[in-house]
Amino acid sequence: AQRVTQPEKLLSVFKGAPVELKCNYSYSGSPELFWYVQYSRQRLQLLLRHISRESIKGFTADLNKGETSFHLKKPFAQEEDSAMYYCALSGLTGGGNKLTFGTGTQLKVEL
Amino acid sequence: EPEVTQTPSHQVTQMGQEVILRCVPISNHLYFYWYRQILGQKVEFLVSFYNNEISEKSEIFDDQFSVERPDGSNFTLKIRSTKLEDSAMYFCASRQDSGETQYFGPGTRLLVL
């Protein structure tokens, strides 16, 4: 079974502070991990995926297979980073490639 | 940049009524999905669709649900007899090919009274 855990419902940081949004997963095969972001009243948007190893808007995430984690990090939070962040997993087996989402973490960046 | 679109944005219906939620995936995409998010809960997978057939469905996707691609552009989710617990935000998503990113629509907020 696929499972994604995001332990924090809400994370509040000050502008300029480092951010780490935690994500742990459970999957028996080779997973693909994603971070999606949802800004207020907007659609879910892909922020980054572990396969591409890109840094988007200053965010990075490293897949740690030993700890089964895919934490999202940013060294200096900006006000515009305030949003809902979802970690998601897709199995690389089967044709459907459904996404399994965590419960999400609301990031609030305060001035 | 092409986007997934969904109509309507909001729908209110009476319990027991049929609803059809519509999605227009990105035009060259081949894989289509429906997800839902009950208020305060996580986004949950409902069904995936490829090559004009369901490729995977969750336990939520029971006989009351069906999907269809009636023409070359639309992808619909039908709920035959809505229940109160069907109230949720329903998201459509599509992706171009195997392993590619899923792109989400803005969602349809369904309220069953």
Side-chain angles (χ1 to χ4, degrees):
Chain A
Q2 301 175 197
R3 189 166 63 244
V4 176
T5 303
Q6 293 181 253
E8 303 137 329
K9 288 188 76 170
L10 173 66
L11 184 64
S12 188
V13 301
F14 286 106
K15 180 181 173 181
V19 174
E20 183 177 46
L21 303 176
K22 291 185 167 47
C23 172
N24 287 89
Y25 68 90
S26 173
Y27 184 65
S28 56
S30 291
E32 184 168 5
L33 276 297
F34 304 82
W35 277 98
Y36 278 83
V37 60
Q38 189 173 32
Y39 300 102
S40 180
R41 301 181 191 280
Q42 295 187 27
R43 68 185 67 204
L44 282 162
Q45 304 171 35
L46 179 70
L47 182 61
L48 51 82
R49 52 193 295 192
H50 90 269
I51 280 181
S52 62
R53 302 184 69 82
E54 291 177 290
S55 171
I56 306 293
K57 298 185 180 183
F59 285 97
T60 59
D62 290 316
L63 179 62
N64 185 324
K65 291 188 177 180
E67 295 182 359
T68 59
S69 68
F70 189 58
H71 304 326
L72 184 68
K73 298 177 184 178
K74 184 170 183 177
F76 307 105
Q78 301 298 312
E79 193 181 355
E80 56 266 27
D81 296 330
S82 293
M84 193 72 172
Y85 290 80
Y86 294 95
C87 183
L89 176 156
S90 175
L92 294 180
T93 56
N97 291 116
K98 67 179 182 186
L99 287 171
T100 298
F101 285 87
T103 48
T105 298
Q106 180 75 46
L107 175 65
K108 185 176 178 185
V109 180
E110 299 184 77
L111 299 175
Chain B
E1 188 175 327
E3 290 184 328
V4 177
T5 59
Q6 289 184 244
T7 54
S9 57
H10 295 78
Q11 174 132 16
V12 181
T13 190
Q14 296 290 322
M15 190 169 58
Q17 294 295 303
E18 175 184 286
V19 294
I20 297 177
L21 309 184
R22 291 183 167 80
C23 169
V24 179
I26 295 172
S27 62
N28 62 344
H29 285 192
L30 302 176
Y31 297 80
F32 314 112
Y33 305 83
W34 284 100
Y35 294 83
R36 79 169 186 193
Q37 186 177 30
I38 294 171
L39 189 64
Q41 298 185 24
K42 66 169 72 176
V43 177
E44 300 174 289
F45 167 77
L46 291 178
V47 65
S48 59
F49 192 86
Y50 170 71
N51 201 26
N52 279 321
E53 60 183 25
I54 291 173
S55 48
E56 189 174 359
K57 60 183 181 180
S58 72
E59 62 274 12
I60 302 168
F61 195 88
D62 62 21
D63 292 344
Q64 293 299 312
F65 291 87
S66 63
V67 289
E68 195 177 27
R69 189 155 162 81
D71 51 43
S73 60
N74 289 282
F75 179 51
T76 61
L77 174 69
K78 183 194 292 187
I79 310 174
R80 285 191 190 81
S81 178
T82 50
K83 303 189 278 280
L84 296 177
E85 54 265 36
D86 293 328
S87 295
M89 183 74 114
Y90 288 81
F91 294 104
C92 174
S94 70
R95 70 180 164 89
Q96 185 174 19
D97 202 350
S98 181
E100 293 297 315
T101 300
Q102 290 185 31
Y103 291 88
F104 282 78
T108 293
R109 185 170 296 283
L110 176 66
L111 178 60
V112 182
L113 301 175

